[in-house]
Each structure stands twice: as C-alpha cells, then as structure tokens.
Amino acid sequence: MNQLTPFQSNFLPPNLADPRLKRRDYRMVIDGQSRDAASGDVVVRTSPGHLGKEVGAWPAASSDDVKSAIAAARTAFDHGPWPRMSGGERSALMHRVAELILRNVDELALIECLEVGKPIAQARGEIGFCAELWRYAAGQAQGLTGDTHNAIGENRLGLVLREPVGVVGIITPWNFPFIIASERVPWAIGAGCTVVVKPSEFTSGTTIRMAELAMEAGIPPGVFNVVTGYGPVAGQVLAEDDRVDMVAFTGSVRVGTRLAEIAARTVKRVGLELGGKGPQVVFDDADLDAAADGIAYGVYHNGGQCCISGSRLIVQNGIRDALLARLLEISRRVKFGDPLNEATRFGPMISAAHCDKVAGHVQKGMDEGAEVLLGGGAIAQDLGFYHSPTVFGRVNPDMSIAQEEIFGPVLSVLGFDTADQAVALANGTDFGLSASVWSRDLERAIQTTRRIRAGRCWINSVIDGTPEMPIGGYKRSGLGRELGKYGFDEYCQFKSLHMTLGSAPRWFA
Ligand code: NAD
C-alpha cells in the first residue's frame, strides 16, 4: 500500500526541523481555574504531518475529574449569575470572546495546523470564521424571545417562556476542533446554559484556549468548562451523569448511537451530528470547469476528513468523460503534504491508524473491482500520515466505497441517465448530511435538491456555510440542528404559562 503515485511531484514534503514544531502544555479549565488531572496523567500529541514530533500535551481526565467539571457547571447554572443575566449582558461578553479570537488568529491557527495537520492558510481562515460564529450568536443572544397567545379567549392570556435547557455536555471530534466548538458553545451559552466541553484526545489545544479566552473576556467561572482525555473515560460520564441535562455530540455514528442509548436511561436531551457520504450530482448542462473545481474541493478539503465531504460524484453519463478529464487534471496538480507550507491544499490524515483505514477502504474498492483512475495509497510514511488523492471510476452503488464514510481524499464516481436515477443514487446510503447539485437549469437543480434527503444542500457550490443557516443530518447523519435561530432552540426549553384574567371559571360549584 505504500506506493508512490505518478503525481508525487505535487507532494510537498514536510520539514521535520521546522522551528514551529514545539510542544505546548495545556491544563483543563474547570470552574474558571486551570487544572491538571488528579492523577497527573497526560495525553501527548505528535504532529500527524511530522512523524514523531511532539506538539501538545493535555490532562487525561478520569471520570472524577469530569464530575468536578459537571458540578461546577451545575452550580453555575443553578446559582450563578450567567442564566440570570440579561441577554444583552451575555451578548456583550460573547462579543468580547469574538474579538479575542480575532486577536489570536495566528496562534490558534498554528495549534490546529500542528495538532490536526490542517494547512496553515486554511486554519487561519477557519479561525476567522469562528469569530463570525461567536459574533452572530452574541447578536442573537440579546434578542431571544418566547411567544404570546393573545387570542385564546377574553379571560385568558398565554405566554411561552424560552428557558435554557441547563447543563450541556458537548463532545467534539478532531477534524474541525475550533469550528465545531464554535458552532455549539456560543449557541448553548447564548441561550443561558452552562457547558462542559470534551474535545477529541487528538486535538484539544484550541478548545482549551477558547475557554481561556472566554475567561479573559469575563465569562463567569463554571459557565464554560473544558475536560480533556479519552472518550470512553472522559466523554461517557457526560451522558451518564444525572446532573447533565443535554449531550451535544459530534462524531462517528458508532459513538453517537452509544451515547444516545446511555442518555436515554436518564431521559437526557441529545443532539447528534454524525457522518456523511455526500453526493455531488452533476447534470449535463453544468458549467464543467466550475463543477470540476468544486468536486475537487469537495473531496480534498481537509484531506477528505470532513463530515460534509462530497465523496460521491454522481455524473450524467453524456458528460462523464469530459468532467473526469478536468477533475483528474486538477487532482494531479493539487498540492498536498506539509501543513506548515503556505501552498499546501491538504495535509496528512489524523493518525497512522486512520491513514491505514483509508488505505484499507481503497484496497477494498480495488478488490471489489472498481477502476482506479488516480492515486490509490498512503505515501511518505517515514515523514507523516499522508494519503494521495484517489479517484475511483465505474463504481457500483452497492460497493463499500460507494456506501461507507472513508474520511480521506477518495472519490467514487457513479453514472446516471435520468434525474430519477440521480436522486435514487444520491439517497442510496444510510447518510443524509449534505449534497450538491450542479446545473445551469435552476428549476431542475432546485427540484432535484428538494428530493434529496440531506440537511445541507448546495446548488453550484459545495462545503458552503454561514452562521445564519442551520446544519444537521437526515437519517443516520444525526438529530437536531445547529446554527441560525434553530440552533438556539436545541438548547432551550419552552414553558407554557397560562394566565386567567378576571374571575376564574369554577369546576366545582
Ligand atoms: P469519534 O466518534 O471517534 O469521536 C468523537 C468524540 O467522541 C471524541 O471527542 C472522542 O474522544 C469521543 N468519544 C469516543 N468514544 C466515546 C465514548 N464511548 N463516550 C463518549 N465520548 C466518546 O469521531 P472522530 O473520529 O473524532 O470524528 C470523525 C467522525 O465525526 C466522522 O464520522 C465525521 O463524519 C463525524 N463528524 C460529523 C460532523 C457533523 O457536523 N455532522 C462534523 C465533524 C465530524
């Protein structure tokens, strides 16, 4: 599997002597204080793009450490100032977090580059986007309202009170640590909740920094806690503990299902943002240059380690060859490799095990008889966990590479003749997170999109997002919606308040 591909000249080898490769040591944030694990144990992170180079270390929390964070969040919710402040006061402090994020873009981007293997230029853009997420949520936090019912009878008035759900446990994955935390924390605390965040054991640095910036901004102790360490120890407690009112989980279907089962025992609210197998449907009237560029972006962005990757190209047969010629030409040119290089478009896989898993999927595709048009394996494994851009042609819809989330730079190409066939293929997996449709005929594109069961759809674009618009999954891609005004509802309870005006109607005489 460790094969060199014909386009290895587009591989930018990492410099293992780069002076930016330094280890940073972090502590958890519990009740406004920096804390080590009671045991003193730590998780050490090495750069996935620079083999063996230590870049971070954070505490390996035990369940007792997590319980102390839950206690802090519970006390801050039940007795602290945060849920009792006006929306305007919360908003002002959250705006300050956004400003501090912007002031620290370079530092935060470097951490994500080294821990995740994210290209440095992409990482800077992502951190800037997170400031926008915080700013939007801060603005909305001031204007959150309930409802009134003024037409339920002359002697009756109804109020619907919006209240925060309580203590929220937020568990995040490794692929977009700062973005995913910024898509949840500001919505939860903006609604008046308090949170305990458990980032991935691979990439915890920027989430800890976010909580430190929140403290610096003046967000009170206990509102935003961060615990670090391994999922089955540090994460699971959040679903099990009675003092947590809700678990918001982003990650794999396997872990999400397990957490939902555990949370069901205490009737906790659960939000799940899980996996995807995004279709990119291209009709024969599409702008093929734009579509080829978008398809390459859709599958190679973040090395394909993206829940909304467009990992299935579903192309109308008449333009298949013309589109593939353009796509392969881009794929041969795409610069991948050293995440510290400004020219890099995608970096390494997150770990050796994940790189092996991606390579295993590719091998299975070959074994099942799919045609490899490009790439096909891990490369430069003496430097980092790199996998080449890989395109499979002539894929059958029942092959594993057409069904399973590979989470690597691997595209599967399927053909169709009619719109009905395209929709059936697009809907033909267990997932329903995102989908793209490429066509110059807007009516056709819109009608096709309406038939696709996915939470986030694009016409003539891919991997687009904005704080105003909701994200979330259909089918096994998840439950609930984040962002926009919908995101606040996830973290709120709605209480009915019925008022009787004048003399109350008598039931018993
Ligand atoms: P993962 O499920 O392995 O881990 C996610 C988080 O859960 C990590 O913090 C991990 O430590 C924790 N965890 C693991 N086992 C646990 C347990 N038993 N109890 C509690 N917590 C536990 O996922 P990953 O490998 O970090 O991320 C990749 C997956 O995330 C992909 O499937 C991807 O599609 C999905 N994802 C979804 C979205 C979305 O918005 N829908 C966004 C990004 C990633």
Side-chain angles (χ1 to χ4, degrees):
M1 192 53 60
N2 189 6
Q3 64 197 62
L4 291 179
T5 60
F7 47 93
Q8 60 187 289
S9 60
N10 298 308
F11 176 67
L12 301 173
N15 171 11
L16 300 190
D18 194 305
R20 291 169 289 181
L21 286 162
K22 287 200 186 103
R23 169 168 158 168
R24 293 172 58 129
D25 287 82
Y26 300 87
R27 303 175 82 197
M28 298 186 285
V29 176
I30 298 177
D31 207 11
Q33 292 173 352
S34 294
R35 295 244 201 109
D36 292 321
S39 65
D41 291 347
V42 295
V43 178
V44 175
R45 175 68 177 152
T46 54
S47 164
H50 308 84
L51 200 72
K53 296 288 175 187
E54 290 184 7
V55 291
W58 34 81
S62 66
S63 66
D64 284 345
D65 294 319
V66 180
K67 283 179 182 164
S68 77
I70 294 171
R74 190 75 252 170
T75 303
F77 186 78
D78 291 340
H79 308 292
W82 187 253
R84 288 152 197 91
M85 278 183 189
S86 70
E89 288 170 310
R90 283 201 287 266
S91 172
L93 295 176
M94 290 168 63
H95 272 295
R96 237 185 264 164
V97 179
E99 280 162 32
L100 288 172
I101 289 172
L102 282 180
R103 251 189 255 162
N104 290 279
V105 167
D106 287 338
E107 179 217 348
L108 295 165
L110 180 60
I111 298 171
E112 294 237 324
C113 173
L114 296 179
E115 291 177 10
V116 187
K118 220 176 254 304
I120 185 74
Q122 177 192 325
R124 275 189 220 106
E126 288 184 8
I127 304 294
F129 175 63
C130 291
E132 279 180 47
L133 289 164
W134 274 86
R135 245 191 330 239
Y136 171 85
Q140 297 291 310
Q142 185 163 10
L144 292 177
T145 59
D147 220 340
T148 61
H149 290 265
N150 195 34
I152 54 175
E154 199 182 0
N155 295 334
R156 299 167 81 205
L157 179 65
L159 301 183
V160 180
L161 304 182
R162 176 190 286 273
E163 297 181 351
V165 76
V167 174
V168 184
I170 298 178
I171 301 173
T172 59
W174 44 259
N175 54 351
F176 293 92
F178 208 71
I179 287 190
I180 290 172
S182 297
E183 287 172 342
R184 291 159 186 50
V185 175
W187 270 258
I189 68 172
C193 297
T194 59
V195 301
V196 178
V197 185
K198 208 301 278 176
S200 167
E201 58 274 27
F202 290 123
T203 57
S204 301
T206 53
T207 308
I208 294 170
R209 289 292 295 126
M210 187 189 289
E212 290 172 350
L213 294 177
M215 281 198 290
E216 193 180 331
I219 294 202
V223 173
F224 183 174
N225 307 278
V226 178
V227 294
T228 51
Y230 298 101
V233 183
Q236 198 157 311
V237 189
L238 291 170
E240 285 167 349
D241 197 296
D242 274 328
R243 294 167 296 175
V244 176
D245 299 291
M246 172 176 177
V247 178
F249 172 80
T250 308
S252 61
V253 177
R254 183 184 63 81
V255 176
T257 311
R258 181 177 166 75
L259 288 177
E261 283 167 3
I262 296 168
R265 285 183 218 137
T266 48
V267 195
K268 254 183 204 74
R269 191 182 292 192
V270 176
L272 299 176
E273 300 270 348
L274 308 177
K277 188 73 180 172
Q280 298 221 49
V281 175
V282 186
F283 283 103
D284 57 10
D285 64 344
D287 174 339
L288 294 192
D289 289 328
D293 189 74
I295 290 154
Y297 177 57
V299 70
Y300 301 136
H301 180 61
N302 219 46
Q305 302 167 116
C306 190
C307 55
I308 51 171
S309 273
S311 54
R312 290 183 298 147
L313 168 58
I314 298 175
V315 56
Q316 201 152 17
N317 284 322
I319 53 155
R320 182 184 184 279
D321 292 348
L323 182 65
L324 280 184
R326 286 167 170 83
L327 176 69
L328 293 175
E329 191 271 327
I330 295 172
S331 301
R332 287 190 187 94
R333 275 193 290 123
V334 68
K335 302 267 189 230
F336 72 107
D338 186 3
L340 283 164
N341 188 323
E342 295 288 337
T344 295
R345 302 308 293 273
F346 76 85
M349 302 292 96
I350 192 71
S351 64
H354 185 61
C355 196
D356 285 349
K357 196 173 142 209
V358 173
H361 278 291
V362 169
Q363 185 62 50
K364 198 164 173 199
M366 294 179 193
D367 295 345
E368 287 178 344
E371 163 199 24
V372 182
L373 298 177
L374 191 74
I379 70 162
Q381 286 173 306
D382 53 333
L383 299 172
F385 312 130
Y386 295 99
H387 196 286
S388 57
T390 300
V391 179
F392 277 109
R394 310 238 173 261
V395 174
N396 294 329
D398 53 355
M399 286 180 179
S400 63
I401 52 169
Q403 290 294 327
E404 289 170 26
E405 184 182 46
I406 296 175
F407 235 51
V410 181
L411 184 71
S412 298
V413 182
L414 301 109
F416 72 91
D417 291 312
T418 67
D420 284 350
Q421 288 171 352
V423 170
L425 287 170
N427 285 335
T429 71
D430 288 339
F431 299 106
L433 197 58
S434 63
S436 277
V437 176
W438 297 84
S439 169
R440 285 194 174 93
D441 178 345
L442 261 190
E443 184 179 336
R444 168 148 83 166
I446 291 170
Q447 294 295 30
T448 304
T449 308
R450 289 167 82 172
R451 297 169 64 195
I452 295 178
R453 302 193 64 215
R456 186 157 27 157
C457 296
W458 303 283
I459 290 176
N460 296 330
S461 73
V462 65
I463 312 194
D464 195 4
T466 176
E468 295 85 348
M469 292 180 62
I471 60 173
Y474 285 40
K475 301 194 277 182
R476 294 212 185 153
S477 290
L479 295 175
R481 291 292 175 271
E482 308 283 345
L483 306 194
K485 62 180 179 173
Y486 313 90
F488 289 103
D489 291 353
E490 290 288 311
Y491 299 106
C492 289
Q493 294 276 21
F494 292 91
K495 179 184 283 175
S496 288
L497 176 53
H498 302 256
M499 290 187 280
T500 299
L501 308 171
S503 64
R506 299 297 159 92
W507 174 68
F508 191 68

